[in-house]
Amino acid sequence: MVLPYEFDVKTLITDGRTNNKNVREIQRWLKTSSMPSLHVESIALFLISCDNDISATETTIKKFFKIKSEAPEIFNDRDIDNEILTKTREVILACSVPKRLQNSVIHCYKLSDIDYRNFILSDIFKLGFMIIDVSQRYDPPDELIAIIDMEGLGAMHLTRLKVSVIKTFVDFLQDGMALKIKNIHVLNTNYIAEKFIAIAKLFMNKALADALIVHPIGMNMEEFYKEYVPASHLPQEYGGELPSFTTLHEVSIQQLRELKPLFEAEDKLISVYKATNS
């Protein structure tokens, strides 16, 4: 089954990001495994995310399908205009920054509605993961830099946390996602945010834990620009040169509307996996 990506694997091969031998090897493995058949573009995404390590690619594909099939609350029904996601996109701002940093894509997330009663973690994670496909649609990045702003997080938000949902989130980040993580920056970290992070760290492997960088309230943005992400790649709210967070959010939401066929096609792949591995 073909997922409607709009890049050509031949370009990735010409650029030396993967090669025909590795693609063919994964194709052969898929035919002998219980995994659904994947088109070459999807295979290339997994290979690039695993540095073209065949064994690691096979393991990541297995985890991709296993985790997604077992967590429908996060990975199913990804129509950005359905009732749940219409509400969710009012609770958080989420965007894929339109400028790459040495071919690392930057994703930004921030609470928009601080009412804890509207804070549904599985829906927030769903929207967060959907943004990944925005970045991979035309030109797959090498790595992901995530910026998560904890401003507005209060004590009552802790009552909305579900450990099982956090575990699934972490498991997919480190084991099932077809994109390497360079860094996760957590901004405006207060006591409540630290509790959230402590729970997540229970399930993190060393590589993901090392990629996590926590920044306090009132951090020096000039140092952040110099050491991590320049102002040229950030929304206005962080002193950046890009449009506002809200504007970038709306652009990403429109891009998600255009990706509805991709999410529908992937849901069918998950159904094939479930039928084969039940």
Side-chain angles (χ1 to χ4, degrees), residues 41-52:
E41 278 72 26
S42 297
I43 291 172
L45 289 176
F46 282 107
L47 282 166
I48 291 169
S49 73
C50 296
D51 295 322
N52 284 282

Side-chain angles (χ1 to χ4, degrees), residues 141-274:
D142 291 327
E143 295 177 305
L144 168 66
I145 298 171
I147 299 174
I148 304 172
D149 191 339
M150 292 293 199
E151 184 179 14
L153 199 70
M156 292 303 293
H157 285 94
L158 290 176
T159 67
R160 308 291 286 175
L161 299 188
K162 293 185 178 180
V163 174
S164 61
V165 173
I166 295 174
K167 182 180 185 303
T168 298
F169 169 73
V170 173
D171 285 348
F172 190 74
L173 275 181
Q174 61 192 13
D175 295 327
M177 194 166 69
L179 179 58
K180 287 193 297 183
I181 294 175
K182 182 175 183 178
N183 288 122
I184 300 174
H185 296 280
V186 184
L187 310 186
N188 291 307
T189 304
N190 58 15
Y191 173 76
I192 305 302
E194 288 175 353
K195 293 292 185 183
F196 185 102
I197 293 167
I199 296 171
K201 278 189 170 182
L202 294 174
F203 309 108
M204 289 184 187
N205 59 27
K206 185 178 185 303
L208 185 58
D210 288 346
L212 182 67
I213 304 173
V214 176
H215 304 274
I217 296 171
M219 61 182 284
N220 186 322
M221 288 305 299
E222 292 297 330
E223 292 181 1
F224 186 81
Y225 303 152
K226 183 177 180 180
E227 189 168 354
Y228 301 113
V229 181
S232 57
H233 290 66
L234 290 170
Q236 289 177 357
E237 287 82 348
Y238 303 121
E241 299 172 10
L242 296 180
S244 69
F245 213 138
T246 300
T247 299
L248 296 175
H249 170 77
E250 291 301 328
V251 170
S252 290
I253 296 303
Q254 180 55 40
Q255 291 170 323
L256 289 173
R257 288 192 178 100
E258 297 168 5
L259 284 174
K260 287 181 184 183
L262 184 145
F263 296 126
E264 291 170 358
E266 191 180 276
D267 284 348
K268 292 177 182 178
L269 282 177
I270 300 299
S271 295
V272 170
Y273 172 85
K274 286 182 177 180

